[in-house]
Amino acid sequence: MNDTALDFERCYRAVSTRDARFDGQFFTAVRTTGIYCRPSCPAITPKRANVSFLPTAAAAQQAGYRACRRCLPDAAPGSPHWNTRADLAARAMRLIGDGVLERGGVPELAAGLGYSPRQLTRVLTAELGAGPLALARAHRAHTARLLIQTTAMPISDVAFAAGFASIRQFNDTVREVFGVSPTVLRTEARRRGTAPDTAAGTLTLRLPFRPPLDRAWLAWFLAAHTVPGLESWADGVHTRALRTPHGHAVVRLTLLDDHVRAELALRDMRDLAPTVARVRHLLDLDADPVGIDEALGAVRPGLTPGIRVPGCADGAELLLRTMIGQQISVAAAATHTARLVAALGERVEGAVLFPEPAVVAERGAEVLTGPGRRVAAVLAAAEAVASGALVLHAGRTAAELRRDLLALPGIGPWTADYVSMRLLADPDILLGTDLIVRRGAELLGIDLADTARWSPWRSYLSMHLWRVALGDRVAASLDSKVQVQ
């Protein structure tokens, strides 16, 4: 479902068969009940004459529909369209997911995308059925529901943690979106046993995804790229700290068959939504694996289903780690990066944050070793990010980001493509110069000069070729590293 205009027949077939693959890709609004649902909602399929299909939850709320409390449409996986599309609306949705609207409002969102607030509002309303303020309201409502149902926070604290300006605004929004008061939402969650007791500032969430999920691939990737002191991988749990808009968070992620268990220790509960968005981006949980696998099925028989393209927790960290690891092994890159983190990282309650670009630019020469040109290139990149000369965020286009990266000394096509692929979740970047990708292509007899037939999924093709070349190391990772109690 790649078209901006939703096809009624395709949408209705998905609803009739309760096809969970389309959860989050569109929403079903039922006129007779005033409720909107996800396509897989177990309720009786409504009559054709009574339904319409909308691209976002915000559009449904804007039209006066309430969220179904049975299927929880706001808890569906995110739409994969925001990655496959590179237009203004898609790039705006990536930034909205990261909480830009909550931090700086429409002016900051518009400035990050290079448009005026009026122009941005007009485009989003036309494309998504709701303007920036309505989209922000939908995100606040989703965050509020999570906090109400998964924490014991006082309701008044939930209101401000979710980003509402007043308790009255919070109460009105929850009633309009969910049809009941915040207190009723919490009571219902406790009755279902879905409101566990949590320590202050900590909560556990079930992050959904569209199956299948190649857990072995993600397990290998996370374990192989772990930097001691910054991250850990033990007993199938990935743990790390990351910077958030209002402080930091420590996340513990466990890959399970039907969801990812995320334990989040947040310094500030206002960072819940952007932290969840970054974790989903890191694990590529909003992908449509069935559609991707069908498109790539001709690569080889027995294609491992559900492969993901890992994203990143922070753009600057991704760039600097990638540059430190240029032309050396993954293990050696982890050693060099660990030394940098130990010397310059910021220590926070039981964890360490990757050093800020300004700190690396100022003091990195004291710590980094290796060829002088590589060290100088890392310092120059850190300075560019710190000064604002290089902008790293998910709202950029791949072409613009690649151009800016290649303009920096010491950054070649492989680094620019790898960073663009992981930062932007761009699905169509072929790492054709990567030695492991080339080895996988040779094993499968694929000509990397002729891959147009697999567009727009060549990033996933790159991961498949990587997986093939690595062979048993990836296949063994699930048994040896992802043992789940």
Side-chain angles (χ1 to χ4, degrees):
M1 207 157 300
N2 296 322
D3 296 331
T4 301
L6 296 174
D7 183 297
F8 186 94
E9 289 302 322
R10 292 185 67 196
C11 291
Y12 195 78
R13 281 198 301 272
V15 171
S16 300
T17 57
R18 296 176 175 81
D19 194 332
R21 292 181 301 161
F22 295 99
D23 285 355
Q25 299 198 40
F26 68 87
F27 298 87
T28 307
V30 185
R31 298 185 189 91
T32 50
T33 62
I35 289 174
Y36 73 95
C37 303
R38 62 168 82 191
S40 67
C41 183
I44 296 173
T45 303
K47 295 179 180 179
R48 288 171 174 268
N50 295 333
V51 301
S52 58
F53 301 107
L54 299 167
T56 61
Q61 295 169 19
Q62 182 88 337
Y65 291 93
R66 303 188 311 276
C68 174
R69 301 208 305 281
R70 187 173 181 182
C71 70
L72 297 177
D74 65 312
S79 173
H81 299 331
W82 313 141
N83 294 338
T84 57
R85 290 167 47 179
D87 59 11
L88 175 60
R91 292 187 289 118
M93 285 300 288
R94 296 181 211 154
L95 291 182
I96 290 171
D98 195 49
V100 170
L101 273 176
E102 306 299 338
R103 299 192 294 275
V106 178
E108 183 172 328
L109 175 65
L113 295 165
Y115 286 79
S116 70
R118 179 178 296 181
Q119 190 174 14
L120 176 64
T121 298
R122 184 171 62 250
V123 171
L124 293 186
T125 302
E127 292 284 328
L128 306 178
L133 294 179
L135 290 163
R137 180 175 182 265
H139 275 266
R140 286 195 294 270
H142 173 58
T143 302
R145 185 187 62 76
L146 283 176
L147 292 173
I148 290 167
Q149 296 185 332
T150 63
T151 76
M153 290 177 64
I155 294 296
S156 58
D157 292 347
V158 168
F160 296 109
F164 290 94
S166 68
I167 294 177
R168 178 177 179 178
Q169 183 189 63
F170 162 73
N171 285 328
D172 290 345
T173 297
V174 170
R175 286 181 180 278
E176 289 174 19
V177 173
F178 300 106
V180 294
S181 68
T183 303
V184 172
L185 274 183
R186 176 161 284 175
T187 301
E188 290 177 345
R190 287 174 174 166
R191 191 178 301 132
R192 293 192 300 266
T194 57
D197 292 333
T198 56
T202 304
L203 63 158
T204 301
L205 303 177
R206 294 168 56 97
L207 303 185
F209 54 78
R210 297 177 184 86
L213 176 73
D214 187 350
R215 292 193 296 145
W217 169 249
L218 279 178
W220 174 84
F221 196 96
L222 293 173
H225 293 83
T226 292
V227 172
L230 177 68
E231 307 156 306
S232 69
W233 178 269
D235 299 323
V237 180
H238 176 66
T239 305
R240 66 156 296 152
L242 60 147
R243 283 189 174 80
T244 55
H246 301 95
H248 65 270
V250 177
V251 302
R252 289 169 49 85
L253 309 175
T254 307
L255 310 177
L256 301 175
D257 286 334
D258 60 351
H259 69 279
V260 171
R261 184 170 66 230
E263 300 170 58
L264 311 179
L266 302 168
R267 183 176 180 83
D268 191 317
M269 279 294 179
R270 289 177 295 174
D271 291 329
L272 173 59
T275 300
V276 170
R278 291 176 192 184
V279 169
R280 297 191 65 82
H281 170 61
L282 174 65
L283 302 179
D284 195 17
L285 297 184
D286 292 330
D288 176 14
V290 173
I292 295 168
D293 291 344
E294 288 175 352
L296 298 179
V299 175
R300 69 181 176 106
L303 180 73
T304 305
I307 204 164
R308 297 302 205 268
V309 177
C312 67
D314 178 82
E317 176 188 325
L318 170 66
L319 174 61
L320 298 181
R321 286 177 62 169
T322 302
M323 294 181 70
I324 291 170
Q326 288 178 140
Q327 300 179 339
I328 58 178
S329 68
V330 173
T335 299
H336 283 273
T337 306
R339 190 180 302 128
L340 180 72
V341 170
L344 305 180
E346 180 183 346
R347 281 154 181 78
V348 295
E349 302 125 13
V352 180
L353 295 167
F354 191 85
E356 292 271 22
V359 175
V360 176
E362 180 181 354
R363 299 185 52 200
E366 304 169 12
V367 183
L368 294 171
T369 60
R373 291 182 64 182
R374 186 174 70 205
V375 172
V378 171
L379 299 180
E383 174 59 32
V385 176
S387 68
L390 175 64
V391 177
L392 298 173
H393 64 59
R396 304 207 62 191
T397 66
E400 291 174 346
L401 178 60
R402 190 177 193 273
R403 178 200 64 205
D404 290 352
L405 289 171
L406 289 175
L408 294 174
I411 295 184
W414 182 90
T415 299
D417 287 341
Y418 181 78
V419 170
S420 298
M421 178 183 72
R422 294 189 60 190
L423 175 62
L424 306 180
D426 191 306
D428 201 30
I429 294 178
L430 179 70
L431 300 178
T433 61
D434 185 90
L435 293 178
I436 301 178
V437 169
R438 296 176 72 86
R439 191 182 310 151
E442 290 174 7
L443 290 172
L444 295 182
I446 291 176
D447 181 3
L448 291 179
D450 181 25
T451 60
R453 62 187 178 279
W454 290 307
S455 181
W457 307 117
R458 286 177 288 191
S459 297
Y460 293 88
L461 173 62
S462 297
M463 297 301 101
H464 277 296
L465 297 180
W466 232 345
R467 197 188 198 289
V468 168
L470 292 167
D472 293 341
R473 280 179 281 179
V474 175
S477 64
L478 188 61
D479 294 330
S480 62
K481 297 187 179 73
V482 195
Q483 294 291 340
V484 178
Q485 301 297 324

